[in-house]
Amino acid sequence: METYSSLISAQKSFFRTGKTKDVAFRLNALQTLRNAIKQHEEELMQALRADLNKSEFEAYTTEIGFVLEELRYTISHLHSWVKPEKVKTPITHIGSSSYIYSDPYGVVLVIAPWNYPFQLAIAPLIGAIAAGNCAVMKPSELTPKTSEILEKLMSECFPEEYIAVVQGGVETSQGLLNEKFDYIFFTGSVPVGKIIMEAAAKNLIPVTLELGGKSPCIVHEDANLKIAAKRIAWGKYTNAGQTCIAPDYLYLHKNVRDEFLQQLKAAIVELYGSEPLDNPNFTRIVSVRHFERLSAFLNKGEVYVGGKTNPEKLAIEPTVLTEISWDDPIMQDEIFGPILPVLVYSELSEVIEGIHEHPKPLSLYIFSENNSIQEKVLNSVSFGGGCVNDTVYHFASPHLPFGGVGPSGIGSYHGKGSFDTFSHKKSILKQTTRFDIPFRYPNVKNGLKKIKMFMK
Ligand code: NAD
């Protein structure tokens, strides 16, 4: 197995020069990255088309435009984020003042998946640079064209001792995991997340794990069905369902089952046409293995909409499956494709129980016009984050740190959340030497009595 120790020690030496901590250096790096992305926009779109048949619209909104916005936001706020934060000081510490310094970890490893191969590699990198770190990025081997551009872009913008891209598959990842990074930021599947955490534990390396899981989408009987249908169709079928936060399955109230399904069918036709397999802009499935895994799900349940596949194009129609229960194969793991199974419920308690019996989801979506129904769901179930009366949109707000909980992930990022994730929060007490309060010392007369006046 290849070793990366010379790369890591070159980055560690560069980090120790202190250059990456300089705010002007960080801002310059972020601006350089932003310019390079704009300059290579066309090439990036072509790579995303070649790797996943992403349309220009999807490539821009979910990948390129997303990171440009993240860069713009970070550049305009970095000066205020880097300042040590002054916090309160208790009366027992009279004479001193207290601060929290945001300190870069050092050399960080970013491992990215294939589904948004550009965005999910660059968005963490923005946080790493903003916080003053060096970084090694390992993009996905399943999207080779995009990974190639990532490498080219980074080598044009930065010296390797600052930011490096290492391409390769599982072996490469494992080689990198043998190194003593100061932080590991991983986006990918739950099983690999466990491998990453185990490797990190050997050297006590802090981690962020952005994982996946089955994200429920609940449509209650009082929901605005037309709007719900359109927003769910969009959230589910964007990127052909290969989105970690896509609604994985639907919990549909029995009183609105038929009406909602009709609306959903209409929304699918409106967004993707009546023959989506002929739509040149519908994203394909990433690999034959995933195509076959997904196609097998079509053998169980009733196809309400869609159901057709094209093995040459690796394309699957936006599909809705009814007559599904928790025992069916499609309900065992994250689907990660354009197939939406529907469970029907009568009471909200069934929904809450059903979700409780499974691992904590990355996202949850509830469609209801009633505030108490919304709050009941939000307060009864543990999940990473989500939306009321929408899907996926919370991901794109720099004010909402994004991440899972437990089996769906550890930690969060985006906006200031990314800066915080890649910064160690170093608490500092600055003490006066003008006087020395004696109570803490063991030789003070009636010390215990006096200290009890403050510590009670
Ligand atoms: P994956 O876990 O198979 O691979 C992710 C990365 O890990 C790749 O770079 C891969 O080369 C590397 N890798 C794979 N096996 C490894 C091993 N044994 N040891 C070390 N490294 C290894 O995930 P994927 O298939 O690329 O992506 C899909 C998954 O990612 C889904 O589960 C999805 O939910 C999740 N995801 C999560 C988020 C999020 O932000 N939470 C975003 C996108 C995708």
Side-chain angles (χ1 to χ4, degrees), residues 111-115 120 138-141 170 173-174 177 186-189 192 195 210-212 244 334 336 362 402:
I111 301 180
W114 52 262
N115 60 331
L120 294 171
K138 210 298 280 170
S140 174
E141 67 279 23
V170 178
S173 240
Q174 285 169 344
L177 288 172
F186 170 79
T187 306
S189 61
V192 181
I195 295 171
E210 293 284 343
L211 308 178
C244 56
E334 179 183 22
F336 223 58
L362 179 57
F402 168 78

Side-chain angles (χ1 to χ4, degrees), residues 36 40 135 207 255:
H40 291 281
V207 290
N255 291 350

Side-chain angles (χ1 to χ4, degrees), residues 334-409:
E334 179 183 22
I335 299 166
F336 223 58
I339 309 175
L340 183 64
V342 180
L343 303 175
V344 177
Y345 72 94
S346 312
E347 301 296 330
L348 206 56
S349 56
E350 294 166 42
V351 173
I352 290 166
E353 267 315 294
I355 299 171
H356 271 162
E357 281 167 19
H358 295 87
K360 294 178 180 180
L362 179 57
S363 298
L364 180 145
Y365 308 110
I366 163 79
F367 286 83
S368 165
E369 294 297 304
N370 183 324
N371 189 48
S372 63
I373 298 282
Q374 297 166 5
E375 289 301 318
K376 170 121 182 104
V377 173
L378 297 183
N379 293 312
S380 311
V381 187
S382 177
F383 56 95
C387 305
V388 171
N389 289 324
D390 210 337
T391 66
V392 176
Y393 232 40
H394 62 302
F395 184 88
S397 165
H399 308 289
L400 291 174
F402 168 78
V405 50
S408 53

Side-chain angles (χ1 to χ4, degrees), residues 214-220 223 225 227-237 246-254 256-265 268 304-305 319-326 330-331 335 337 339-346 350-351 354-355 363-367 390-391:
K214 290 187 87 62
S215 297
C217 180
I218 306 159
V219 180
H220 200 56
L225 299 184
I227 285 198
K230 196 162 176 181
R231 292 179 183 168
I232 291 169
W234 169 78
K236 177 71 184 184
Y237 302 115
D248 185 273
Y249 63 95
L250 211 62
Y251 254 127
L252 186 52
H253 194 278
K254 70 173 181 9
V256 290
R257 179 195 181 277
D258 294 346
E259 195 188 337
F260 177 77
L261 289 176
Q262 279 164 24
Q263 295 281 4
L264 186 58
K265 191 177 196 168
I268 291 171
Y304 182 83
V305 189
T319 298
V320 178
L321 279 186
T322 57
E323 313 312 316
I324 290 291
S325 79
W326 274 110
I330 198 167
M331 293 307 289
I335 299 166
I339 309 175
L340 183 64
V342 180
L343 303 175
V344 177
Y345 72 94
S346 312
E350 294 166 42
V351 173
I355 299 171
S363 298
L364 180 145
Y365 308 110
I366 163 79
F367 286 83
D390 210 337
T391 66

